[in-house]
Amino acid sequence: MAEEVKRSGFKSGFISIIGRPNVGKSTLLNLLLGEKIAIVSDKPQTTRNRILGIKNHPAGQIIFLDTPGIHRAQSRLNRSIVKVALATYSEVDGVCFMIEADRSDNDENDFILETLTKIEKPVFLVINKIDLVPKGDLLPIMERYSRLRSFEQIIPISALLGDGVETFVDELLKILPEGPRLFPEDMITDLPERFLVAELIREKVFQLTQEEIPYATAVVVEDFKQREEKNLIVIRATIQVERESQKGILIGKRGRMLKEIGRLAREEIEALLGARVFLELWVKEEKNWREDPRALRRLGY
Ligand code: GDP
Ligand code: MG
């Protein structure tokens, strides 16, 4: 078996994608896997957990860890998010540090570079969102970052358009060790469907509400029942918020907001699960859950 792996040159291993919130980590992961497993919004700190995505390539299997953005933490929730991101360094074969072409100068990037100083594994610099800047802007960014540390490679990409992504995958395969597939070929994530469903609902809250509301929200799928005979899945989920006033906003006038969240989430859940979905949403007040260690544990953060 080991001999066979050697001869075939098949590679496998883990790569983490790190970067400050909103640089496009989840967008890249979804593009790489061809399916939406990580939720995306234009607001920072959408991703809260570590998300594992499996890319099957003829030459190897790359297992990506999409981490919550690294940033200086404030609330207990944010501190736990940063911890998850930093802990992934020890588990991987390489790290991709993602920055944005249009906003490469940033304190938070310097902070992330600091966290990377002790790491002895290959570190790639991925410059995302190249579609937003003229080509001439890239060279100065590359020069500036090369002075700060040595990178295995610097790879400009657009996760939105797919530009540079093939090169990105080829470069990662070069540094992965030879080894067999670690997950079945048809598996793209280790996350259970229930979690993905909760995340899709949370994504809609992020997209439709403003200010503190998205950050005060957590989603729990209470019930997930398959009705084989009708190809129908019945899902009951609770959206929890911190205050009564937030509850009112999430429900909206005559329930309009909640209805819209439910409609948009249901469409995506149906696409994800390949079945018709009946989605029942409830909103519940759970005082200060973001600062309550027990509530955080229950929610898996
Ligand atoms: P994350 O917080 O790093 O996971 O970032 P997301 O993947 O959630 O993306 C944040 C925002 O940037 C979303 O609105 C994306 O659509 C947008 N975005 C991501 N990649 C690109 C890109 O290559 N070009 C452009 N123009 N926008 C992008
Ligand atoms: Mg993300």
Side-chain angles (χ1 to χ4, degrees):
M1 173 72 186
E3 192 53 35
E4 202 180 303
V5 167
K6 216 169 228 160
R7 252 185 287 122
S8 71
F10 195 84
K11 305 239 176 138
S12 62
F14 290 82
I15 299 285
S16 73
I17 308 177
I18 59 159
R20 57 176 216 92
N22 231 24
V23 290
K25 300 177 292 296
S26 299
T27 304
L28 176 63
L29 191 69
N30 290 335
L31 179 90
L32 286 166
L33 306 188
E35 275 200 56
K36 184 155 169 185
I37 65 158
I39 67 171
V40 171
S41 88
D42 60 0
K43 297 184 183 65
Q45 291 149 51
T46 311
T47 308
R48 284 180 189 156
N49 306 68
R50 189 190 72 169
I51 290 178
L52 187 145
I54 303 152
K55 168 80 183 170
N56 288 296
H57 185 275
Q61 184 175 60
I62 314 177
I63 299 139
F64 288 98
L65 301 176
D66 175 19
T67 58
I70 297 179
H71 52 88
R72 290 171 206 275
Q74 279 156 8
S75 74
R76 192 185 282 269
L77 173 63
N78 283 351
R79 280 200 299 277
S80 118
I81 286 174
V82 173
K83 235 164 76 196
V84 172
L86 294 178
T88 59
Y89 287 175
S90 59
E91 310 169 19
V92 295
D93 299 291
V95 173
C96 294
F97 169 31
M98 187 185 277
I99 61 172
E100 292 157 295
D102 60 328
R103 272 190 247 165
S104 61
D105 283 317
N106 194 294
D107 284 356
E108 281 163 319
N109 284 341
D110 297 338
F111 171 65
I112 296 170
L113 273 173
E114 268 169 48
T115 71
L116 284 168
T117 44
K118 280 186 225 122
I119 194 171
E120 278 161 20
K121 294 166 181 166
V123 176
F124 294 84
L125 181 70
V126 180
I127 309 177
N128 189 28
K129 308 197 184 179
I130 56 169
D131 55 293
L132 295 179
V133 300
K135 271 214 172 73
D137 285 11
L138 295 177
L139 198 58
I141 300 175
M142 292 180 181
E143 283 172 352
R144 187 170 96 76
Y145 275 86
S146 307
R147 277 195 299 272
L148 297 173
R149 75 162 284 143
S150 81
F151 290 101
E152 182 73 23
Q153 289 285 340
I154 298 184
I155 312 165
I157 65 160
S158 166
L160 196 65
L161 307 179
D163 296 341
V165 173
E166 220 171 293
T167 313
F168 170 74
V169 170
D170 292 341
E171 291 300 331
L172 295 181
L173 283 168
K174 283 185 195 161
I175 64 109
L176 286 188
E178 288 191 359
R181 234 181 264 293
L182 300 170
F183 289 91
E185 205 173 346
D186 58 358
M187 189 170 160
I188 62 161
T189 180
D190 66 340
L191 293 170
E193 285 176 341
R194 263 174 186 259
F195 176 80
L196 295 175
V197 164
E199 285 289 277
L200 285 171
I201 298 166
R202 205 163 63 77
E203 179 185 68
K204 299 310 158 207
V205 175
F206 258 79
Q207 289 171 352
L208 293 178
T209 65
Q210 311 302 327
E211 286 159 33
E212 89 283 6
I213 308 252
Y215 303 100
T217 301
V219 176
V220 183
V221 171
E222 316 270 3
D223 211 12
F224 190 108
K225 276 201 205 93
Q226 196 136 11
R227 299 249 174 93
E228 297 284 358
E229 72 288 359
K230 288 187 196 149
N231 188 31
L232 178 74
I233 297 171
V234 180
I235 299 171
R236 190 161 49 84
T238 305
I239 303 177
Q240 69 180 48
V241 289
E242 288 187 321
R243 284 199 304 272
E244 196 61 34
S245 60
Q246 296 164 340
K247 191 173 156 181
I249 294 171
L250 262 187
I251 293 171
K253 252 196 206 118
R254 293 204 208 120
R256 246 186 256 148
M257 176 60 94
L258 193 62
K259 223 185 221 159
E260 186 65 359
I261 291 169
R263 188 182 65 81
L264 293 171
R266 180 179 49 79
E267 283 173 5
E268 293 215 19
I269 296 167
E270 287 183 334
L272 173 83
L273 303 177
R276 277 192 309 129
V277 167
F278 179 79
L279 178 63
E280 189 181 308
L281 289 181
W282 294 88
V283 183
K284 191 175 95 186
E285 182 198 354
E286 178 104 9
K287 280 212 165 43
N288 296 326
W289 65 266
R290 274 188 290 181
E291 298 294 340
D292 176 357
R294 278 177 48 221
L296 290 176
R297 218 170 314 126
R298 185 154 32 83
L299 291 163
Y301 296 133

Short mmCIF file of all heavy atoms in Angstrom, two decimals, residues 230-287:
data_model
loop_
_atom_site.label_atom_id
_atom_site.label_comp_id
_atom_site.label_asym_id
_atom_site.label_seq_id
_atom_site.Cartn_x
_atom_site.Cartn_y
_atom_site.Cartn_z
N LYS A 230 -42.52 11.55 0.68
CA LYS A 230 -42.85 12.78 -0.06
C LYS A 230 -41.61 13.52 -0.53
O LYS A 230 -41.72 14.62 -1.06
CB LYS A 230 -43.66 13.72 0.83
CG LYS A 230 -45.07 13.26 1.08
CD LYS A 230 -45.81 14.37 1.83
CE LYS A 230 -47.09 13.87 2.46
NZ LYS A 230 -47.39 14.62 3.68
N ASN A 231 -40.42 12.95 -0.31
CA ASN A 231 -39.17 13.67 -0.57
C ASN A 231 -39.21 15.06 0.07
O ASN A 231 -38.86 16.06 -0.54
CB ASN A 231 -38.88 13.76 -2.07
CG ASN A 231 -37.48 14.32 -2.34
OD1 ASN A 231 -36.55 14.11 -1.55
ND2 ASN A 231 -37.33 15.04 -3.44
N LEU A 232 -39.68 15.08 1.30
CA LEU A 232 -39.83 16.34 2.01
C LEU A 232 -39.06 16.29 3.33
O LEU A 232 -39.07 15.27 4.01
CB LEU A 232 -41.32 16.59 2.31
CG LEU A 232 -41.65 17.85 3.10
CD1 LEU A 232 -41.49 19.08 2.22
CD2 LEU A 232 -43.07 17.78 3.67
N ILE A 233 -38.37 17.38 3.64
CA ILE A 233 -37.68 17.44 4.92
C ILE A 233 -38.31 18.55 5.75
O ILE A 233 -38.47 19.68 5.27
CB ILE A 233 -36.17 17.69 4.72
CG1 ILE A 233 -35.57 16.51 3.95
CG2 ILE A 233 -35.45 17.85 6.06
CD1 ILE A 233 -34.15 16.72 3.50
N VAL A 234 -38.70 18.21 6.96
CA VAL A 234 -39.34 19.19 7.83
C VAL A 234 -38.30 19.65 8.86
O VAL A 234 -37.75 18.84 9.60
CB VAL A 234 -40.56 18.58 8.54
CG1 VAL A 234 -41.21 19.62 9.45
CG2 VAL A 234 -41.57 18.08 7.51
N ILE A 235 -38.03 20.94 8.86
CA ILE A 235 -36.99 21.48 9.75
C ILE A 235 -37.59 22.54 10.66
O ILE A 235 -38.29 23.44 10.19
CB ILE A 235 -35.84 22.10 8.92
CG1 ILE A 235 -35.19 21.05 8.03
CG2 ILE A 235 -34.79 22.74 9.85
CD1 ILE A 235 -34.20 21.61 7.03
N ARG A 236 -37.32 22.41 11.95
CA ARG A 236 -37.73 23.46 12.88
C ARG A 236 -36.48 24.05 13.51
O ARG A 236 -35.64 23.32 14.03
CB ARG A 236 -38.64 22.87 13.96
CG ARG A 236 -39.32 23.93 14.84
CD ARG A 236 -40.53 23.34 15.55
NE ARG A 236 -40.17 22.08 16.19
CZ ARG A 236 -39.61 21.97 17.40
NH1 ARG A 236 -39.35 23.05 18.11
NH2 ARG A 236 -39.31 20.79 17.91
N ALA A 237 -36.34 25.36 13.40
CA ALA A 237 -35.13 26.00 13.92
C ALA A 237 -35.48 27.22 14.75
O ALA A 237 -36.49 27.89 14.52
CB ALA A 237 -34.22 26.41 12.77
N THR A 238 -34.62 27.49 15.74
CA THR A 238 -34.80 28.67 16.57
C THR A 238 -33.69 29.66 16.31
O THR A 238 -32.51 29.29 16.28
CB THR A 238 -34.76 28.28 18.07
OG1 THR A 238 -35.72 27.27 18.29
CG2 THR A 238 -35.06 29.48 18.94
N ILE A 239 -34.07 30.90 16.10
CA ILE A 239 -33.08 31.96 15.99
C ILE A 239 -33.05 32.63 17.34
O ILE A 239 -34.05 33.18 17.79
CB ILE A 239 -33.49 32.99 14.92
CG1 ILE A 239 -33.70 32.30 13.57
CG2 ILE A 239 -32.43 34.09 14.80
CD1 ILE A 239 -34.18 33.25 12.47
N GLN A 240 -31.92 32.59 18.01
CA GLN A 240 -31.90 33.24 19.32
C GLN A 240 -31.16 34.57 19.27
O GLN A 240 -30.18 34.74 18.58
CB GLN A 240 -31.35 32.32 20.39
CG GLN A 240 -29.89 32.01 20.29
CD GLN A 240 -29.47 31.09 21.43
OE1 GLN A 240 -30.12 30.09 21.69
NE2 GLN A 240 -28.39 31.44 22.11
N VAL A 241 -31.74 35.52 20.00
CA VAL A 241 -31.16 36.86 20.06
C VAL A 241 -30.97 37.24 21.52
O VAL A 241 -31.42 36.53 22.42
CB VAL A 241 -32.07 37.90 19.37
CG1 VAL A 241 -32.05 37.72 17.87
CG2 VAL A 241 -33.48 37.83 19.91
N GLU A 242 -30.30 38.36 21.74
CA GLU A 242 -29.97 38.72 23.12
C GLU A 242 -31.01 39.56 23.82
O GLU A 242 -31.06 39.61 25.02
CB GLU A 242 -28.63 39.47 23.15
CG GLU A 242 -27.45 38.57 22.87
CD GLU A 242 -26.13 39.29 23.06
OE1 GLU A 242 -26.03 40.47 22.69
OE2 GLU A 242 -25.20 38.68 23.59
N ARG A 243 -31.82 40.28 23.02
CA ARG A 243 -32.76 41.21 23.65
C ARG A 243 -34.12 41.18 22.98
O ARG A 243 -34.25 40.86 21.80
CB ARG A 243 -32.20 42.64 23.58
CG ARG A 243 -31.08 42.91 24.57
CD ARG A 243 -30.89 44.40 24.79
NE ARG A 243 -30.63 45.09 23.54
CZ ARG A 243 -29.43 45.25 23.02
NH1 ARG A 243 -28.38 44.72 23.63
NH2 ARG A 243 -29.27 45.90 21.89
N GLU A 244 -35.11 41.56 23.76
CA GLU A 244 -36.48 41.61 23.28
C GLU A 244 -36.62 42.50 22.04
O GLU A 244 -37.30 42.17 21.09
CB GLU A 244 -37.38 42.13 24.42
CG GLU A 244 -38.86 41.90 24.24
CD GLU A 244 -39.25 40.41 24.14
OE1 GLU A 244 -38.62 39.57 24.80
OE2 GLU A 244 -40.19 40.11 23.38
N SER A 245 -35.89 43.65 22.05
CA SER A 245 -36.01 44.58 20.93
C SER A 245 -35.47 43.95 19.64
O SER A 245 -36.00 44.18 18.56
CB SER A 245 -35.24 45.86 21.24
OG SER A 245 -33.87 45.56 21.47
N GLN A 246 -34.41 43.13 19.79
CA GLN A 246 -33.85 42.47 18.60
C GLN A 246 -34.84 41.45 18.06
O GLN A 246 -34.94 41.24 16.85
CB GLN A 246 -32.53 41.78 18.98
CG GLN A 246 -31.46 42.76 19.41
CD GLN A 246 -30.31 42.09 20.13
OE1 GLN A 246 -30.43 40.97 20.64
NE2 GLN A 246 -29.18 42.77 20.18
N LYS A 247 -35.56 40.86 18.98
CA LYS A 247 -36.56 39.87 18.59
C LYS A 247 -37.61 40.52 17.69
O LYS A 247 -37.97 39.99 16.64
CB LYS A 247 -37.21 39.31 19.86
CG LYS A 247 -38.06 38.11 19.65
CD LYS A 247 -38.50 37.54 20.99
CE LYS A 247 -39.77 36.74 20.82
NZ LYS A 247 -40.25 36.19 22.08
N GLY A 248 -38.04 41.72 18.11
CA GLY A 248 -39.04 42.44 17.32
C GLY A 248 -38.55 42.75 15.92
O GLY A 248 -39.30 42.61 14.95
N ILE A 249 -37.30 43.14 15.81
CA ILE A 249 -36.75 43.48 14.49
C ILE A 249 -36.65 42.24 13.60
O ILE A 249 -36.97 42.27 12.42
CB ILE A 249 -35.37 44.16 14.64
CG1 ILE A 249 -35.54 45.51 15.34
CG2 ILE A 249 -34.69 44.33 13.29
CD1 ILE A 249 -34.26 46.18 15.75
N LEU A 250 -36.22 41.14 14.21
CA LEU A 250 -36.07 39.90 13.42
C LEU A 250 -37.41 39.38 12.92
O LEU A 250 -37.50 38.80 11.84
CB LEU A 250 -35.42 38.81 14.27
CG LEU A 250 -33.92 38.63 14.08
CD1 LEU A 250 -33.46 37.42 14.85
CD2 LEU A 250 -33.57 38.45 12.61
N ILE A 251 -38.44 39.57 13.71
CA ILE A 251 -39.76 39.11 13.28
C ILE A 251 -40.33 40.08 12.26
O ILE A 251 -40.87 39.67 11.24
CB ILE A 251 -40.69 38.93 14.50
CG1 ILE A 251 -40.18 37.77 15.37
CG2 ILE A 251 -42.12 38.66 14.05
CD1 ILE A 251 -40.86 37.62 16.70
N GLY A 252 -40.14 41.37 12.53
CA GLY A 252 -40.58 42.38 11.57
C GLY A 252 -42.06 42.67 11.64
O GLY A 252 -42.81 42.01 12.35
N LYS A 253 -42.46 43.70 10.88
CA LYS A 253 -43.88 44.07 10.86
C LYS A 253 -44.70 42.93 10.28
O LYS A 253 -44.42 42.46 9.19
CB LYS A 253 -44.05 45.32 10.00
CG LYS A 253 -44.35 46.55 10.81
CD LYS A 253 -44.90 47.67 9.94
CE LYS A 253 -44.58 48.99 10.60
NZ LYS A 253 -43.71 49.85 9.80
N ARG A 254 -45.67 42.50 11.03
CA ARG A 254 -46.52 41.37 10.63
C ARG A 254 -45.71 40.15 10.21
O ARG A 254 -46.07 39.42 9.29
CB ARG A 254 -47.42 41.78 9.46
CG ARG A 254 -48.43 42.82 9.89
CD ARG A 254 -49.66 42.81 9.01
NE ARG A 254 -50.26 44.13 8.97
CZ ARG A 254 -50.41 44.86 7.87
NH1 ARG A 254 -50.07 44.38 6.70
NH2 ARG A 254 -50.95 46.06 7.94
N GLY A 255 -44.56 40.00 10.85
CA GLY A 255 -43.76 38.80 10.59
C GLY A 255 -43.03 38.80 9.27
O GLY A 255 -42.51 37.78 8.82
N ARG A 256 -42.97 39.98 8.63
CA ARG A 256 -42.42 40.02 7.27
C ARG A 256 -40.93 39.66 7.19
O ARG A 256 -40.51 38.97 6.29
CB ARG A 256 -42.64 41.42 6.68
CG ARG A 256 -43.61 41.36 5.52
CD ARG A 256 -43.73 42.69 4.85
NE ARG A 256 -44.97 43.34 5.20
CZ ARG A 256 -45.12 44.66 5.30
NH1 ARG A 256 -44.10 45.46 5.11
NH2 ARG A 256 -46.29 45.17 5.60
N MET A 257 -40.16 40.17 8.16
CA MET A 257 -38.72 39.90 8.13
C MET A 257 -38.44 38.41 8.28
O MET A 257 -37.68 37.82 7.52
CB MET A 257 -38.02 40.69 9.24
CG MET A 257 -36.54 40.43 9.37
SD MET A 257 -35.60 40.82 7.89
CE MET A 257 -35.09 42.48 8.29
N LEU A 258 -39.08 37.81 9.26
CA LEU A 258 -38.85 36.39 9.51
C LEU A 258 -39.27 35.55 8.30
O LEU A 258 -38.61 34.58 7.93
CB LEU A 258 -39.62 35.95 10.76
CG LEU A 258 -39.23 34.58 11.30
CD1 LEU A 258 -37.77 34.57 11.73
CD2 LEU A 258 -40.11 34.17 12.48
N LYS A 259 -40.35 35.97 7.67
CA LYS A 259 -40.84 35.26 6.49
C LYS A 259 -39.79 35.30 5.38
O LYS A 259 -39.52 34.30 4.71
CB LYS A 259 -42.12 35.93 6.00
CG LYS A 259 -43.19 34.94 5.62
CD LYS A 259 -44.39 35.65 5.03
CE LYS A 259 -45.68 35.04 5.55
NZ LYS A 259 -46.80 35.96 5.41
N GLU A 260 -39.20 36.49 5.21
CA GLU A 260 -38.20 36.66 4.15
C GLU A 260 -36.94 35.84 4.45
O GLU A 260 -36.38 35.20 3.55
CB GLU A 260 -37.87 38.15 4.01
CG GLU A 260 -36.95 38.51 2.85
CD GLU A 260 -37.55 38.24 1.47
OE1 GLU A 260 -38.70 37.75 1.38
OE2 GLU A 260 -36.84 38.47 0.48
N ILE A 261 -36.51 35.86 5.70
CA ILE A 261 -35.35 35.04 6.10
C ILE A 261 -35.65 33.57 5.79
O ILE A 261 -34.84 32.86 5.19
CB ILE A 261 -35.04 35.22 7.60
CG1 ILE A 261 -34.51 36.64 7.87
CG2 ILE A 261 -34.03 34.18 8.10
CD1 ILE A 261 -34.42 37.02 9.34
N GLY A 262 -36.84 33.15 6.17
CA GLY A 262 -37.23 31.76 5.96
C GLY A 262 -37.30 31.39 4.49
O GLY A 262 -36.84 30.32 4.09
N ARG A 263 -37.83 32.30 3.68
CA ARG A 263 -37.97 32.00 2.26
C ARG A 263 -36.60 31.84 1.59
O ARG A 263 -36.33 30.87 0.89
CB ARG A 263 -38.76 33.13 1.57
CG ARG A 263 -39.13 32.83 0.13
CD ARG A 263 -39.86 34.03 -0.51
NE ARG A 263 -39.01 35.21 -0.63
CZ ARG A 263 -38.11 35.40 -1.60
NH1 ARG A 263 -37.94 34.47 -2.52
NH2 ARG A 263 -37.38 36.49 -1.64
N LEU A 264 -35.71 32.80 1.85
CA LEU A 264 -34.38 32.75 1.23
C LEU A 264 -33.57 31.55 1.74
O LEU A 264 -32.89 30.88 0.97
CB LEU A 264 -33.62 34.05 1.51
CG LEU A 264 -34.20 35.30 0.84
CD1 LEU A 264 -33.49 36.56 1.34
CD2 LEU A 264 -34.08 35.20 -0.68
N ALA A 265 -33.66 31.29 3.03
CA ALA A 265 -32.92 30.15 3.59
C ALA A 265 -33.46 28.85 3.02
O ALA A 265 -32.70 27.96 2.64
CB ALA A 265 -33.01 30.15 5.12
N ARG A 266 -34.78 28.75 2.92
CA ARG A 266 -35.38 27.50 2.43
C ARG A 266 -34.90 27.19 1.02
O ARG A 266 -34.54 26.05 0.71
CB ARG A 266 -36.90 27.58 2.46
CG ARG A 266 -37.57 26.30 1.97
CD ARG A 266 -39.08 26.37 2.03
NE ARG A 266 -39.63 27.59 1.45
CZ ARG A 266 -39.78 27.81 0.15
NH1 ARG A 266 -39.43 26.89 -0.72
NH2 ARG A 266 -40.26 28.95 -0.29
N GLU A 267 -34.84 28.21 0.16
CA GLU A 267 -34.39 27.97 -1.22
C GLU A 267 -32.99 27.36 -1.23
O GLU A 267 -32.70 26.41 -1.97
CB GLU A 267 -34.37 29.28 -2.01
CG GLU A 267 -35.76 29.70 -2.44
CD GLU A 267 -35.79 31.09 -3.08
OE1 GLU A 267 -34.70 31.68 -3.27
OE2 GLU A 267 -36.91 31.56 -3.39
N GLU A 268 -32.11 27.89 -0.39
CA GLU A 268 -30.73 27.37 -0.39
C GLU A 268 -30.63 26.01 0.28
O GLU A 268 -29.83 25.17 -0.11
CB GLU A 268 -29.80 28.37 0.30
CG GLU A 268 -29.69 29.64 -0.52
CD GLU A 268 -28.31 30.27 -0.44
OE1 GLU A 268 -27.36 29.56 -0.06
OE2 GLU A 268 -28.21 31.46 -0.76
N ILE A 269 -31.45 25.80 1.30
CA ILE A 269 -31.42 24.50 1.98
C ILE A 269 -31.93 23.42 1.03
O ILE A 269 -31.39 22.31 0.98
CB ILE A 269 -32.26 24.54 3.28
CG1 ILE A 269 -31.63 25.53 4.27
CG2 ILE A 269 -32.35 23.16 3.91
CD1 ILE A 269 -32.53 25.89 5.45
N GLU A 270 -32.94 23.77 0.24
CA GLU A 270 -33.45 22.80 -0.73
C GLU A 270 -32.38 22.43 -1.74
O GLU A 270 -32.20 21.27 -2.10
CB GLU A 270 -34.69 23.36 -1.44
CG GLU A 270 -35.91 23.38 -0.52
CD GLU A 270 -37.20 23.84 -1.18
OE1 GLU A 270 -37.12 24.61 -2.18
OE2 GLU A 270 -38.28 23.44 -0.70
N ALA A 271 -31.60 23.43 -2.19
CA ALA A 271 -30.53 23.16 -3.15
C ALA A 271 -29.45 22.29 -2.50
O ALA A 271 -28.93 21.36 -3.11
CB ALA A 271 -29.93 24.46 -3.66
N LEU A 272 -29.15 22.60 -1.23
CA LEU A 272 -28.11 21.84 -0.52
C LEU A 272 -28.51 20.39 -0.31
O LEU A 272 -27.73 19.47 -0.51
CB LEU A 272 -27.84 22.49 0.85
CG LEU A 272 -26.90 21.75 1.79
CD1 LEU A 272 -25.45 22.09 1.45
CD2 LEU A 272 -27.17 22.11 3.24
N LEU A 273 -29.76 20.17 0.10
CA LEU A 273 -30.19 18.83 0.47
C LEU A 273 -30.80 18.06 -0.70
O LEU A 273 -30.99 16.84 -0.62
CB LEU A 273 -31.20 18.89 1.62
CG LEU A 273 -30.73 19.60 2.90
CD1 LEU A 273 -31.86 19.66 3.92
CD2 LEU A 273 -29.53 18.87 3.49
N GLY A 274 -31.12 18.77 -1.77
CA GLY A 274 -31.73 18.10 -2.92
C GLY A 274 -33.10 17.54 -2.60
O GLY A 274 -33.47 16.46 -3.06
N ALA A 275 -33.85 18.25 -1.79
CA ALA A 275 -35.19 17.79 -1.43
C ALA A 275 -36.07 19.01 -1.17
O ALA A 275 -35.56 20.12 -0.97
CB ALA A 275 -35.14 16.94 -0.18
N ARG A 276 -37.37 18.81 -1.17
CA ARG A 276 -38.24 19.90 -0.77
C ARG A 276 -38.13 20.08 0.74
O ARG A 276 -37.96 19.11 1.47
CB ARG A 276 -39.69 19.59 -1.16
CG ARG A 276 -39.98 19.94 -2.62
CD ARG A 276 -41.46 19.91 -2.91
NE ARG A 276 -42.07 18.66 -2.44
CZ ARG A 276 -43.14 18.60 -1.66
NH1 ARG A 276 -43.74 19.71 -1.26
NH2 ARG A 276 -43.63 17.43 -1.29
N VAL A 277 -38.24 21.31 1.18
CA VAL A 277 -38.06 21.59 2.61
C VAL A 277 -39.22 22.40 3.14
O VAL A 277 -39.68 23.35 2.51
CB VAL A 277 -36.73 22.36 2.83
CG1 VAL A 277 -36.67 22.94 4.23
CG2 VAL A 277 -35.53 21.45 2.58
N PHE A 278 -39.72 21.98 4.29
CA PHE A 278 -40.65 22.82 5.03
C PHE A 278 -39.88 23.37 6.22
O PHE A 278 -39.38 22.63 7.05
CB PHE A 278 -41.86 21.99 5.49
CG PHE A 278 -42.83 22.80 6.28
CD1 PHE A 278 -43.73 23.66 5.65
CD2 PHE A 278 -42.83 22.74 7.68
CE1 PHE A 278 -44.62 24.42 6.39
CE2 PHE A 278 -43.71 23.51 8.43
CZ PHE A 278 -44.60 24.34 7.78
N LEU A 279 -39.74 24.70 6.24
CA LEU A 279 -38.89 25.31 7.27
C LEU A 279 -39.73 26.15 8.22
O LEU A 279 -40.42 27.08 7.82
CB LEU A 279 -37.83 26.20 6.59
CG LEU A 279 -36.89 26.97 7.51
CD1 LEU A 279 -36.04 26.02 8.35
CD2 LEU A 279 -35.97 27.88 6.69
N GLU A 280 -39.66 25.78 9.49
CA GLU A 280 -40.40 26.52 10.52
C GLU A 280 -39.40 27.27 11.39
O GLU A 280 -38.50 26.66 11.97
CB GLU A 280 -41.18 25.51 11.35
CG GLU A 280 -42.17 26.12 12.31
CD GLU A 280 -42.88 25.01 13.10
OE1 GLU A 280 -43.41 24.06 12.50
OE2 GLU A 280 -42.86 25.11 14.33
N LEU A 281 -39.53 28.59 11.46
CA LEU A 281 -38.57 29.39 12.22
C LEU A 281 -39.22 30.04 13.43
O LEU A 281 -40.33 30.56 13.35
CB LEU A 281 -37.98 30.50 11.34
CG LEU A 281 -37.03 30.10 10.23
CD1 LEU A 281 -36.54 31.36 9.50
CD2 LEU A 281 -35.84 29.32 10.78
N TRP A 282 -38.50 30.00 14.55
CA TRP A 282 -38.94 30.68 15.77
C TRP A 282 -37.85 31.63 16.22
O TRP A 282 -36.68 31.38 16.01
CB TRP A 282 -39.20 29.65 16.88
CG TRP A 282 -40.35 28.74 16.56
CD1 TRP A 282 -40.29 27.57 15.87
CD2 TRP A 282 -41.73 28.97 16.85
NE1 TRP A 282 -41.55 27.03 15.73
CE2 TRP A 282 -42.45 27.87 16.33
CE3 TRP A 282 -42.42 29.99 17.54
CZ2 TRP A 282 -43.83 27.76 16.46
CZ3 TRP A 282 -43.79 29.87 17.66
CH2 TRP A 282 -44.48 28.77 17.12
N VAL A 283 -38.26 32.71 16.87
CA VAL A 283 -37.27 33.63 17.41
C VAL A 283 -37.40 33.62 18.94
O VAL A 283 -38.50 33.68 19.48
CB VAL A 283 -37.48 35.07 16.90
CG1 VAL A 283 -36.38 35.98 17.44
CG2 VAL A 283 -37.47 35.10 15.38
N LYS A 284 -36.25 33.50 19.60
CA LYS A 284 -36.27 33.38 21.06
C LYS A 284 -35.24 34.33 21.66
O LYS A 284 -34.16 34.50 21.11
CB LYS A 284 -35.93 31.94 21.43
CG LYS A 284 -36.17 31.58 22.87
CD LYS A 284 -35.91 30.10 23.09
CE LYS A 284 -34.49 29.86 23.58
NZ LYS A 284 -34.11 28.46 23.69
N GLU A 285 -35.61 34.90 22.80
CA GLU A 285 -34.65 35.76 23.49
C GLU A 285 -33.84 34.93 24.48
O GLU A 285 -34.38 34.18 25.29
CB GLU A 285 -35.41 36.86 24.24
CG GLU A 285 -34.50 37.83 24.93
CD GLU A 285 -35.26 38.62 26.01
OE1 GLU A 285 -36.49 38.47 26.10
OE2 GLU A 285 -34.61 39.35 26.76
N GLU A 286 -32.54 35.04 24.40
CA GLU A 286 -31.64 34.34 25.32
C GLU A 286 -30.64 35.37 25.80
O GLU A 286 -29.68 35.69 25.10
CB GLU A 286 -30.94 33.19 24.57
CG GLU A 286 -29.95 32.40 25.37
CD GLU A 286 -30.51 31.05 25.78
OE1 GLU A 286 -31.59 30.68 25.30
OE2 GLU A 286 -29.87 30.40 26.61
N LYS A 287 -30.88 35.91 27.00
CA LYS A 287 -30.12 37.08 27.46
C LYS A 287 -28.61 36.84 27.45
O LYS A 287 -28.13 35.87 28.00
CB LYS A 287 -30.56 37.47 28.88
CG LYS A 287 -31.83 38.26 28.88
CD LYS A 287 -31.88 39.26 30.04
CE LYS A 287 -32.95 40.31 29.84
NZ LYS A 287 -34.24 39.81 29.35
#
